Amino acid sequence: MTEQRTGGAMEQGHPRRWSILGVLCLAVFAVSIDTTVLNVALPTISRELGAGTAELQWIVDAYTLALAGVLLTAGSLADRYGRKKMLIAGLAVFGAASALGALAQEPWQIIAARGLMGVGGAFFMPGTLSILGHVFSPAERAAAIGRWGALTALGMVLGPLIGGVLLEHYWWGAAFVLNVPVVVVALLGVAWIVPESCDPVARRADLPGTVLSTAGMAGILFGVISAPAHGWGSGLVLGPLLGGLVVLAVFFRHQATAEEPMLDLRLMRSRRFLAAGTTMAFLMFSLVGGAFVVTQQLQLVLGLAPLTAGLATVPLAAAVVVASPLSPAVAAAIGARTAIAAGLATMAAGLAVLAFFTPGGGYPPAAAGLVLLGAGMGLAVAPVNDVLMSAGPPESAGRLSAMNDTVQELGSALGVAVIGSVLALAYGNAIPGTVPRTVRHSLGEAAEAVRGMPSGRADALLNAAHRAFDHGMTLSMAVCATAALVGAVVALVLIPGGRTPRPGGHPAPAGSQEPATRGVPT
């Protein structure tokens, strides 16, 4: 197949664009599953490999740290040297690291494998979205991004269910092995049908920018990730966090003066980009922070096994699957700005149900809250991505996609860190001062501490711990609901309104811009 070296989408789209979408969705489905599938395997890894709490935390966080730290560099390299090339390289690294993770014998080996998987993910995640903008016409781009977003979200919410099924029948390493055949199929599909695209203007590599952006993002993510375990006032949190911010400030200064910068700072001044990026950050903060609490509630309060807890999240997945394909039509009818705000408001309603009705109410209110959360997410994600990807010229698609993914990772990491801190603080304040110290830190530790105690004493302590957790859940989910509402307000106020005509006379969703548009973003 003749390679496409231009940055803009063809007027009618690539003739094999839907097959290309299928291959890219398969790739992104694998990485999105991996963000959550490992969570249910952590207790088994702790038991079989002797991993402590800090090691378990880094098994989860090493991936996020590496992914977000390398994303900006990866997006720039994809624009410069070819998005297909970077996509293939990233998939290969991700698959190889998954195989190494399955063979690990020590916790540090899993942590290293997860970090390498994050590097691989950073090189192929931006490529998937930027390639979609290249092969689809403006009239079909929103629908394609909607399906891409639906598969991404579906992978995240199905991860616990798939992890539970694997642990039911296989060993913990199956959570890693799962990625290998998916990656192989995706690699074959990418090599066969995905066309090449890149920035038509050849630029030299910005090595200082690469080092500064990676170090700055890594410092910020390290500080955020460490906050729940050490507290926001700890030197292990403030040092990397402030250091990362300083390095990023130096990075932006360098980008403003470099002859050939890796990042077009005009994108940072785009109202469209800032509005969509901020909205996406609030969306991911509320979604991931809420899921962090609900997962504990299902297993520690309702006493569900990992597989059953995974099945309990099916209403969320079902709502995402139903709402995501409808979002482009909704955005076309009422405008992207209104659709995004409505989606975030629906998410806030679901989080409010989880905050005020689920504690003490059992599973039915939890299921209702999850349905609203998934429906709102499905409605909002595709138009947010569409607005963000239209914020600059098509030759910057890789950098735009990388910045989009970076915003998502920062929102997710902050969601876990902030909501984890709120939950821990509220739990500690609500637990009676007369209970043993081993029960005061978390509900999970309380459940372990009461084993072997007389039944009466154990029941009293667990009841106190459950009441404290309910208080913490209400407060932390209320914070998530507030964040979703703030995101809705940001969307209404900052995302440009109106509609842009599309080829054939069909209006584009509000806030949309044709991919062929060049020049300074507005």
Side-chain angles (χ1 to χ4, degrees):
M1 177 177 291
T2 302
E3 291 190 344
Q4 308 291 330
R5 302 296 298 180
T6 61
M10 291 171 285
E11 184 177 348
Q12 300 300 321
H14 194 280
R16 304 174 78 172
R17 57 194 179 277
W18 295 108
S19 298
I20 293 170
L21 174 63
V23 170
L24 297 181
C25 283
L26 180 65
V28 79
F29 186 71
V31 72
S32 60
I33 282 179
D34 190 74
T35 59
T36 55
V37 71
L38 194 63
N39 290 342
V40 296
L42 292 178
T44 306
I45 293 175
S46 176
R47 182 174 61 253
E48 296 190 6
L49 298 186
T53 301
E55 290 169 317
L56 292 178
Q57 180 187 9
W58 279 108
I59 287 174
V60 175
D61 293 338
Y63 178 86
T64 300
L65 182 64
L67 179 69
V70 182
L71 268 170
L72 291 178
T73 298
S76 176
L77 292 176
D79 283 342
R80 186 165 291 141
Y81 299 113
R83 295 157 192 151
K84 178 177 179 177
K85 292 185 182 70
M86 294 299 106
L87 181 60
I88 290 175
L91 280 169
V93 171
F94 185 85
S98 298
L100 290 174
L103 300 174
Q105 301 295 317
E106 299 289 341
W108 70 265
Q109 295 171 338
I110 301 181
I111 295 171
R114 289 278 293 169
L116 192 58
M117 289 167 68
V119 173
F123 275 89
F124 80 76
M125 281 294 286
T128 59
L129 195 54
S130 55
I131 288 171
L132 288 184
H134 171 69
V135 301
F136 278 91
S137 68
E140 295 177 326
R141 186 186 63 202
I145 291 177
R147 298 184 185 185
W148 178 90
L151 264 293
T152 303
L154 185 62
M156 292 178 65
V157 298
L158 286 181
L161 174 59
I162 294 172
V165 172
L166 291 175
L167 285 177
E168 190 83 6
H169 300 284
Y170 306 103
W171 96 116
W172 61 265
F176 289 93
V177 174
L178 171 69
N179 298 326
V180 177
V182 178
V183 166
V184 170
V185 174
L187 273 172
L188 293 175
V190 169
W192 179 38
I193 66 170
V194 174
E196 183 63 279
S197 65
C198 65
D199 188 339
V201 180
R203 294 184 175 93
R204 292 177 298 177
D206 180 11
L207 294 180
T210 298
V211 174
L212 288 171
S213 66
T214 302
M217 288 300 303
I220 291 173
L221 263 294
F222 184 93
V224 169
I225 287 169
S226 301
H230 301 285
W232 289 97
S234 168
L236 289 175
V237 174
L238 290 178
L241 193 60
L242 295 177
L245 290 172
V246 170
V247 172
L248 275 190
V250 176
F251 165 74
F252 284 116
R253 175 65 178 172
H254 168 74
Q255 295 300 288
T257 57
E259 291 185 6
E260 296 185 7
M262 65 178 289
L263 184 65
D264 187 350
L265 291 184
R266 294 176 301 174
L267 299 175
M268 305 298 295
R269 296 193 295 269
S270 165
R271 175 183 173 186
R272 197 182 306 273
F273 172 80
L274 291 175
T278 304
T279 301
M280 178 63 80
F282 278 112
L283 188 154
M284 294 304 298
F285 177 99
S286 56
L287 173 71
V288 176
F292 174 77
V293 180
V294 170
T295 302
Q296 296 184 60
Q297 197 266 349
L298 292 173
Q299 295 193 47
L300 298 177
V301 177
L302 299 184
L304 302 182
L307 177 57
T308 309
L311 289 170
T313 64
V314 167
L316 173 62
V320 170
V321 170
V322 171
S324 292
L326 300 176
S327 63
V330 173
I334 65 176
R337 175 173 64 184
T338 306
I340 294 166
L344 281 157
T346 304
M347 289 179 63
L351 290 162
V353 170
L354 292 169
F356 298 106
F357 296 97
T358 299
Y363 179 68
L370 290 173
V371 168
L372 289 171
L373 183 60
M377 178 186 178
L379 184 63
V381 165
V384 171
N385 278 319
D386 193 27
V387 171
L388 193 146
M389 288 302 294
S390 69
E395 59 266 24
S396 297
R399 280 167 284 183
L400 275 169
S401 183
M403 293 164 75
N404 179 33
D405 291 335
T406 301
V407 166
Q408 291 189 39
E409 292 300 324
L410 281 172
S412 300
L414 280 170
V416 173
V418 173
I419 299 304
S421 297
V422 170
L423 179 63
L425 182 62
Y427 175 89
N429 289 337
I431 200 80
T434 55
V435 302
R437 182 176 296 274
T438 53
V439 179
R440 298 183 60 83
H441 297 132
S442 70
L443 181 55
E445 291 185 9
E448 291 292 328
V450 300
R451 290 185 179 181
M453 289 185 179
S455 58
R457 173 66 169 164
D459 290 343
L461 289 176
L462 272 183
N463 287 336
H466 283 166
R467 287 193 297 271
F469 182 88
D470 287 346
H471 171 73
M473 180 176 181
T474 295
L475 184 59
S476 57
M477 295 303 248
V479 173
C480 290
T482 302
L485 284 177
V486 172
V489 172
V490 169
L492 284 174
V493 173
L494 294 182
I495 291 180
R499 301 208 177 103
T500 303
R502 286 182 183 249
H506 298 289
S512 187
Q513 176 181 327
E514 304 302 340
T517 301
R518 294 176 181 271
V520 179
T522 59

